[in-house]
Amino acid sequence: DLIKLGSGGRLCSFSPCIEQVQRTCEALTEQGFKEIRTLEVLLRIHNVRAVTLQLPNFGPDSSSQAGPEAMEEAPPSATPDHASLKLKTTTPLREMPGHTGYLTFATKPRT
């Protein structure tokens, strides 16, 4: 049985199967609920790992103030090593054991 909300309000319902979602939505509609929305909830496990990405070297900055003669004077060993960026990334498991579920949200207008 649905709660009678005479002064209006929001409702959230969890259902483990789509047939229960259908029955819930029908009952909500009969009770005057509006804006009925259902979202699927599925557990997804992700592997988290740290990676280091090398930043690309696009050559000298052509917008710098130094002219071409300054570049010729700099010895090759003066060029800095390629910069890198360390970050964390995730990848989902290829197979996901588990069960889905559904969240249904509805609004009862004030009366």
Side-chain angles (χ1 to χ4, degrees):
D1 290 330
L2 291 174
I3 298 172
K4 305 281 186 193
L5 297 174
S7 61
R10 295 275 295 157
L11 178 127
C12 177
S13 168
F14 176 80
S15 303
C17 61
I18 195 66
E19 293 81 12
Q20 186 175 353
V21 171
Q22 292 169 331
R23 290 191 305 270
T24 300
C25 290
E26 288 172 4
L28 289 169
T29 302
E30 290 171 6
Q31 293 295 320
F33 282 82
K34 306 290 182 192
E35 300 175 17
I36 301 170
R37 303 284 185 263
T38 300
L39 303 172
E40 184 176 15
V41 180
L42 182 63
L43 175 65
R44 292 190 63 166
I45 298 172
H46 290 257
N47 290 325
V48 179
R49 62 186 175 104
V51 296
T52 301
L53 298 176
Q54 296 296 319
L55 297 175
N57 180 0
F58 294 113
D61 184 5
S62 62
S63 66
S64 67
Q65 297 295 334
E69 52 281 342
M71 290 301 293
E72 291 173 10
E73 293 175 12
S77 60
T79 341
D81 291 335
H82 291 318
S84 62
L85 178 66
K86 293 182 181 180
L87 54 97
K88 290 188 178 178
T89 184
T90 66
T91 52
L93 298 177
R94 292 187 186 265
E95 296 194 21
M96 293 180 290
H99 193 276
T100 191
Y102 302 91
L103 288 174
T104 298
F105 299 91
T107 301
K108 178 80 178 226
R110 293 181 185 261
T111 54

